[in-house]
């Protein structure tokens, strides 16, 4: 790896000219707002989310810095917030952040881990309830009171009851008095009614658990749990739990000792299940500290294979943060290597990764990297945590001209922040059909997470051919011909909001059409309950592929459609009206 030289204002270091059109410029103004953070908190986490529902991504930098996005490329630090009030910032503070809407009142609540390694900590874990518009109250009723200490935490609805649950991981021997980790079950949105579940190994035994991650790795509709156990230089086994909810209809976390990433010795720090090759399933990248090299597991037909990649080295890695930074339709990765001082951007073309020449010159190294489109210009920016000048925001200067789509998800009856929701976006990019997969996650970096708003690059495509949403509740929704270079809100059961001026929402239009019988066999009748000017009608499968076009006469109110040529399965009847409104109805072919 070539030695980098510092450019003006600490911009990116370029070790080559490959992909030099991709450049992140360091935001010097933001850095000056973090004088305390620039000297401390080498293990301080952060998380992005729209805290005041104004359409712009805000950030919380653990343990006590809240920055509201002004929408013009600047941020204002909230000096009156209760978040972190009274916390003392130690050298090498541990401070994790995770956000979700625990009471489903349409604003994001926050859980902060704050403790000091290798000593009895004076700080503690705190849940902060958003009272609206980003005004927070520290909770005193939940089971995290009195003092609990953990390294990282993550929200996830593991029993799909519409309320997010919380795992807080305690690294025994690293902070405070060793104790087990916690699984707090959210009963009804009230902090007083969270149940501390102690039935699992990680809630009963002592181990160096660091950061927990929820992800539906096998796409069976429930959240599985992965706890990085980072022994800090000594290889060991991470904790992998597969949720049995879809198999038994009861949420139970079954410890797995068969999957290769559960049997390989790790020094685990950050789990990310992503579809790097757009083949429809989830692969895994696990960054490891010095006790093991980084491991990349490629999934083929349900089998995971440990596969060499240019970044599967041993370099005290912490975060792997995934996002399509050049909007070409393939998800890229930024890796923080704490001891080396280099944070690397690897560009993905679907089969190989290339170091973009972007090694961030930081004397002390970054710990966390957290992605968000902070200025709503369609390019993913990021914040990097770390000691001294390692802490900074970097602004995406990409000028590729590629298109994008941004989506905010809101659940009902799924949890309101839509944690665990899966989104597939199909688009025709450079003449090829590209199928991308994303998951809404409240922990996908080291001690924090990227923006909850989902970002996908579309390359030269000016629209997404289809968008399919798989909600934790089991509901599925389907949209087609979604215009690029726009931000959308998809609300479960209410459809996609294109603008605030829509007079008729998609779910209201859907009520004008009846399908029968449903499930259907050889034929199905489509009936309009009232006149609707239809421009296009098609049947799509669950993967977004066109199965059948249905011509519709303008004066007709009913039509029988032969289904003998449609295979058994679940499908969507997609309708586009003459005024460019779209909706879908789900049906089953027997």
């Amino acid at each position: 790896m070539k030695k980098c030289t510092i450019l003006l204002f600490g911009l990116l270091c370029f070790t080559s000219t490959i992909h030099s059109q991709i450049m992140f410029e360091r935001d010097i103004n933001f850095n000056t707002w973090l004088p305390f953070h620039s000297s401390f908190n080498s293990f301080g986490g952060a998380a992005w989310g729209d805290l005041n529902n104004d359409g712009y991504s805000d950030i919380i930098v653990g343990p006590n810095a809240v920055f509201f996005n002004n929408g013009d490329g600047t941020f204002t630090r909230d000096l009156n917030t209760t978040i972190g009030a009274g916390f003392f910032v130690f050298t090498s503070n541990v401070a994790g952040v995770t956000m979700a809407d625990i009471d489903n009142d349409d604003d994001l609540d926050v859980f902060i881990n704050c403790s000091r390694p290798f000593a009895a900590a004076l700080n503690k874990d705190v849940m902060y309830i958003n009272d609206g518009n980003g005004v927070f109250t520290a909770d005193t009723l939940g089971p995290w009171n009195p003092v609990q200490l953990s390294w990282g935490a993550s929200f996830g609805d593991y029993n799909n009851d519409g309320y997010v649950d919380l795992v807080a991981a305690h690294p025994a021997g690293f902070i405070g008095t060793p104790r087990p980790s916690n699984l707090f079950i959210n009963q009804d949105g009230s902090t007083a009614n969270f149940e501390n579940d102690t039935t699992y190994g990680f809630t009963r035994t002592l181990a160096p658990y660091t950061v927990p991650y929820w992800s539906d790795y096998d796409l069976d509709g429930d959240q599985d749990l992965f706890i990085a156990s980072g022994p800090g230089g000594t290889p060991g086994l991470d904790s992998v739990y597969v949720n049995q909810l879809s198999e038994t209809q009861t949420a139970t976390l079954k410890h797995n000792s068969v999957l290769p990433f559960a049997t390989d010795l790790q020094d685990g720090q950050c789990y990310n299940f992503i579809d790097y090759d757009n083949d429809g399933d989830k692969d895994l990248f696990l960054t490891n500290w010095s006790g093991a090299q980084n491991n990349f597991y490629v999934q083929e037909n349900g089998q995971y294979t440990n596969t060499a990649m240019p970044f599967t080295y041993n370099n005290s890695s912490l975060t792997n943060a995934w996002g399509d930074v050049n909007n070409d339709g393939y998800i890229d990765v930024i890796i923080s290597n704490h001891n080396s001082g280099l944070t690397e951007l690897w560009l993905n073309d679907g089969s190989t990764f290339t170091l973009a020449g972007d090694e961030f010159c930081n004397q002390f190294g970054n710990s966390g990297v957290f992605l968000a489109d902070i200025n709503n210009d369609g390019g993913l920016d990021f914040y990097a945590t770390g000691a001294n000048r390692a802490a900074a925001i970097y602004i995406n200067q990409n000028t590729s001209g590629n298109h994008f789509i941004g989506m905010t998800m809101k659940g009902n009856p799924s949890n309101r922040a839509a944690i665990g929701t899966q989104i597939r976006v199909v688009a025709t990019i450079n003449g090829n059909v590209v199928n991308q997969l994303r998951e809404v996650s409240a922990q996908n970096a080291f001690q924090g997470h990227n923006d909850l708003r989902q970002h996908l690059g579309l390359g030269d495509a000016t629209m997404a051919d289809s968008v399919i949403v798989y909600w934790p509740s089991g509901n599925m929704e389907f949209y087609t011909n979604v215009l690029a270079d726009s931000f959308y809100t998809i609300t479960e059961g209410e459809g996609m909001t294109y603008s605030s001026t829509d007079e008729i929402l998609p779910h209201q239009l859907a009520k004008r059409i009846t399908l029968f019988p449903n499930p259907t066999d050889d034929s199905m009748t489509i009936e309009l309950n009232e006149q609707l000017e239809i421009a296009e009608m098609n049947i799509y499968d669950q993967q977004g592929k066109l199965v059948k076009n249905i011509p519709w006469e303008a004066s007709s109110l009913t039509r029988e459609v032969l289904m003998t040529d449609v295979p058994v399965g679940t499908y969507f009847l997609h309708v586009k009206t003459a005024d460019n409104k779209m909706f879908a109805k789900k049906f089953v072919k027997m």
Side-chain angles (χ1 to χ4, degrees):
M1 192 174 295
K2 297 183 180 178
K3 184 178 180 181
C4 60
T5 56
I6 298 177
L7 302 183
L8 183 62
F9 299 132
L11 300 185
L12 282 185
C13 308
F14 289 96
T15 59
S16 73
T17 59
I18 297 176
H19 299 289
S20 60
Q21 74 274 16
I22 306 299
M23 188 173 82
F24 287 90
E25 181 175 343
R26 186 184 181 112
D27 184 345
I28 301 302
N29 291 324
F30 187 87
N31 194 61
T32 60
W33 301 339
L34 290 172
F36 76 92
H37 195 278
S38 297
S39 300
F40 298 100
N41 282 27
S42 60
F43 295 110
W48 291 98
D50 187 356
L51 298 173
N52 54 5
N53 292 323
D54 66 350
Y56 289 93
S57 303
D58 311 301
I59 188 170
I60 295 179
V61 180
N64 59 358
V66 180
F67 292 91
F68 286 100
N69 191 335
N70 297 320
D72 59 1
T74 66
F75 291 80
T76 298
R77 182 177 178 188
D78 183 2
L79 298 177
N80 298 315
T81 185
T82 59
I83 290 183
F87 281 177
F88 185 81
V89 182
F90 301 94
T91 301
S92 297
N93 238 108
V94 172
V97 185
T98 183
M99 300 182 191
D101 187 353
I102 70 167
D103 46 11
N104 292 337
D105 65 349
D106 215 19
D107 49 39
L108 292 173
D109 311 297
V110 180
F111 189 81
I112 301 280
N113 321 95
C114 186
S115 50
R116 183 183 183 185
F118 315 114
L122 299 181
N123 297 331
K124 63 177 182 177
D125 298 346
V126 184
M127 179 80 77
Y128 294 94
I129 306 303
N130 193 335
D131 299 326
N133 296 318
V135 177
F136 295 91
T137 299
D139 171 69
T140 59
L141 301 176
W144 35 83
N145 300 295
V147 175
Q148 301 280 345
L149 297 174
S150 56
W151 188 289
S154 180
F155 286 111
D157 185 2
Y158 102 112
N159 53 10
N160 284 351
D161 67 349
Y163 293 100
V164 287
D165 312 299
L166 178 72
V167 170
H170 180 89
F174 282 76
I175 58 174
T177 302
R179 64 170 185 80
S181 299
N182 294 105
L183 171 59
F184 299 117
I185 307 300
N186 188 347
Q187 302 295 323
D188 57 10
S190 169
T191 56
N193 294 330
F194 271 73
E195 175 189 342
N196 189 7
D197 188 336
T198 60
T199 59
Y200 298 106
F202 68 95
T203 64
R204 292 183 283 104
T205 60
L206 302 180
Y209 303 114
T210 51
V211 183
Y213 301 86
W214 294 100
S215 181
D216 183 6
Y217 87 103
D218 51 3
L219 297 176
D220 66 350
D222 52 40
Q223 293 278 281
D224 309 296
L225 179 63
F226 308 86
I227 307 179
S229 301
T234 304
L237 297 177
D238 279 351
S239 294
V240 174
Y241 290 87
V242 178
N243 199 334
Q244 301 300 294
L245 178 59
S246 65
E247 290 84 0
T248 67
Q249 284 67 60
T250 300
T252 305
L253 298 175
K254 182 179 181 180
H255 189 264
N256 187 285
S257 57
V258 177
L259 290 166
F261 42 87
T263 58
D264 291 346
L265 296 180
Q266 315 283 2
D267 197 352
Q269 306 299 324
C270 182
Y271 277 82
N272 265 311
F273 287 91
I274 39 80
D275 185 6
Y276 91 100
D277 50 3
N278 292 340
D279 66 350
D281 56 27
K282 287 185 176 180
D283 313 292
L284 168 65
F285 185 31
L286 171 58
T287 37
N288 281 302
W289 191 249
S290 59
Q293 71 172 26
N294 298 334
N295 286 315
F296 195 92
Y297 298 89
V298 176
Q299 185 185 170
E300 293 289 344
N301 300 318
Q303 301 297 314
Y304 282 89
T305 302
N306 198 337
T307 305
M309 292 289 180
F311 40 72
T312 50
Y313 44 55
N314 189 319
N315 197 15
S316 299
S317 302
L318 289 173
T319 285
N320 61 92
W322 291 83
D324 189 352
V325 300
N326 56 2
N327 289 336
D328 66 348
Y330 291 98
I331 194 167
D332 312 300
V333 63
I334 301 177
I335 304 171
S336 66
N337 299 301
H338 190 259
N339 284 347
S340 73
L342 300 177
T343 295
E344 301 172 340
L345 167 61
W346 292 88
L347 293 177
N348 177 15
D349 66 6
S351 59
T352 60
F353 289 87
T354 303
L355 183 64
D358 304 354
E359 292 180 322
F360 301 88
C361 295
N362 294 310
Q363 182 180 356
F364 295 96
N366 297 118
S367 55
V369 174
F370 314 91
L371 292 155
D373 181 359
I374 66 173
N375 48 14
N376 287 357
D377 68 348
L380 282 175
D381 316 293
F382 70 90
Y383 173 69
T385 57
N388 299 294
R389 284 188 55 78
I393 271 184
Y394 291 85
I395 305 298
N396 194 331
Q397 305 296 310
N398 176 34
T399 58
S400 67
N402 288 333
H403 300 285
F404 77 98
I405 190 171
M407 291 177 288
T408 298
M409 319 303 296
K410 292 190 176 185
N412 185 19
S414 300
N415 70 89
R416 191 60 170 170
I419 306 301
T421 300
Q422 311 280 341
I423 305 104
R424 289 191 185 275
V425 174
V426 181
T428 303
I429 301 175
N430 295 325
N432 299 312
V433 176
V434 177
N435 186 329
Q436 300 182 64
L437 176 65
R438 296 290 190 275
E439 180 178 23
V440 182
S441 172
Q443 187 67 250
N444 48 27
F446 182 71
Q447 298 172 271
H449 57 80
N450 302 331
D451 196 1
L452 295 179
R453 181 172 67 184
Q454 300 302 295
H455 175 100
L456 296 97
L458 296 179
D460 64 348
T462 58
M463 68 171 57
D465 300 332
S466 61
V467 174
I468 309 170
V469 182
Y470 304 86
W471 300 97
S473 66
N475 292 330
M476 289 189 296
E477 295 178 3
F478 187 91
Y479 307 90
T480 64
N481 301 332
V482 180
L483 293 178
D485 302 327
S486 299
F487 296 97
Y488 300 90
T489 297
I490 302 179
T491 304
E492 185 178 7
E494 297 183 18
M496 178 181 288
T497 301
Y498 305 96
S499 72
S500 60
T501 60
D502 279 350
E503 296 180 359
I504 303 177
L505 294 174
H507 77 286
Q508 296 170 321
L509 285 172
K511 294 179 180 179
R512 299 186 184 181
I513 286 187
T514 301
L515 308 180
F516 62 90
N518 187 9
T520 187
D521 191 0
D522 292 337
S523 68
M524 179 175 67
T525 299
I526 304 171
E527 182 176 271
L528 296 185
N529 302 324
E530 57 183 284
Q531 190 64 49
L532 191 64
E533 192 174 352
I534 294 175
E536 189 175 345
M537 184 179 291
N538 296 295
I539 293 175
Y540 291 86
D541 66 13
Q542 292 188 78
Q543 302 301 315
K545 297 178 181 178
L546 177 64
V547 174
K548 190 182 187 73
N549 171 259
I550 302 174
W552 192 270
E553 296 181 4
S555 60
S556 179
L557 290 177
T558 184
R559 171 157 186 187
E560 183 178 2
V561 181
L562 291 178
M563 302 294 290
T564 54
D565 56 341
V566 176
V568 172
T570 300
Y571 297 90
F572 295 93
L573 176 73
H574 181 267
V575 180
K576 180 179 179 181
T577 65
D579 57 353
N580 207 35
K581 290 185 172 65
M582 293 172 280
F583 63 92
K585 300 273 285 190
K586 185 170 69 172
F587 69 92
V588 175
K589 167 65 187 303
M590 301 294 288

